[in-house]
Each structure stands twice: as structure tokens, then as C-alpha cells.
Amino acid sequence: MENHVVVLGYGPLTRPVLDKLGSRTRHVVVATEPELAERLRGRGYEVVESETVNEDALHEAGIRNARAVVVAGESDPDDALAVLTANEAAPDVEVIAVASNSENAGKLRRAGADTVVSPADIVGKLLVESALTGKDTERILEDLRDRLAKR
């Protein structure tokens, strides 16, 4: 597999990520729990069943040929270790991490994530923007998407 996305971990935000990736590019999930791995396979996802910090599993997922790695587990400390491992396995691949707790965003960056997304911060900014401008949050997101598409 080449030019795909490797998703390390599975948490509350992973399913929407997988749904969005599904229509845009190939991807593979590294899932730690056998039951979860089986459920994901049942939904048609490519899965490597292993710890997200297992370098052999990352190589099996094709990390060296990936376009990006998304680290989105349920634990920021575990995700930080996964970010470190991903960078060791494929230093030139873009690593995007989700910070479950916005206070850990800097730590995930220091661990080597190229981009860190904090859902709590994003929601907070959208709510404030909506409160101050009267714009619907859907419209704010559409404006942002349009601006990004023009880059």
C-alpha cells in the first residue's frame, strides 16, 4: 500500500475520521483490542491488530509509504508514545495527533506530532465565534473549508 493513511489507536473521534477517510483515500487502522479489530474488519476496514507502539505492526501497516499518520487513541500519554514510535519508524511521514485534553497538545507536539488537533479548543472557538457573530457554527465551518480549499 502507498500514499495511504495509517490510523494509530481507536477512540471517540476515530470513527468519524475513518468515515471521512473512507471516501477519500485508502487507510489502515492499528487497533490494540482483538474484539475491536474484528468489529472494524466487519465494517470493511483494513486492520493490523497490535499495540500502536509496535514497530513491526507499523511496518505491516505500511507506515514508510504512508502519506500521513493519524494518532487518535483514548489516552494522550499512550498517543505521545505512539507519535514517538511513528516518527522513529518513518521520520518523513506527517504525523497528526488528537489531544483528548487540550493541556496535552504541547506535549504531543514535543513528542513529534507535526499537527495537533484539540477538539475541545475547536468547539470552544466555534461557540465563541457563533456567540459573537451570530453565525451558525455550520456556516463558520463551511467558510473555513472554502478558505482552505482555495490554498
Side-chain angles (χ1 to χ4, degrees):
M1 195 179 315
E2 288 187 14
N3 206 30
H4 61 293
V5 175
V6 176
V7 178
L8 300 181
Y10 192 89
L13 294 175
T14 312
R15 187 170 184 170
V17 168
L18 295 176
D19 290 344
K20 297 293 182 190
L21 283 173
S23 62
R24 300 188 67 189
T25 190
R26 288 188 69 190
H27 53 281
V28 60
V29 181
V30 178
T32 59
E33 299 171 19
E35 305 83 34
L36 173 62
E38 202 53 44
R39 278 198 325 260
L40 291 171
R41 284 187 191 102
R43 294 181 193 152
Y45 295 115
E46 292 188 50
V47 179
V48 174
E49 185 183 321
S50 180
E51 295 295 322
T52 59
V53 295
N54 181 318
E55 286 190 48
D56 290 337
L58 300 187
H59 291 299
E60 184 180 338
I63 193 169
R64 287 189 183 145
N65 298 317
R67 70 184 326 169
V69 175
V70 174
V71 182
E74 294 187 68
S75 161
D76 289 345
D78 290 347
D79 287 352
L81 191 54
V83 167
L84 284 167
T85 306
N87 276 318
E88 284 181 5
D92 297 328
V93 175
E94 184 85 9
V95 177
I96 300 99
V98 175
S100 299
N101 181 335
S102 58
E103 294 175 8
N104 292 329
K107 293 173 186 169
L108 288 164
R109 279 189 196 86
R110 287 191 299 279
D114 298 295
T115 302
V116 177
V117 177
S118 172
D121 286 346
I122 292 169
V123 169
K125 288 174 186 174
L126 286 172
L127 290 171
V128 168
E129 189 66 23
S130 184
L132 296 177
T133 66
K135 275 189 172 180
D136 174 322
T137 54
E138 291 286 328
R139 185 67 208 141
I140 295 168
L141 288 172
E142 287 173 11
D143 290 346
L144 177 60
R145 186 186 66 233
D146 291 346
R147 277 188 263 154
L148 290 172
K150 290 178 184 177
R151 285 186 175 182

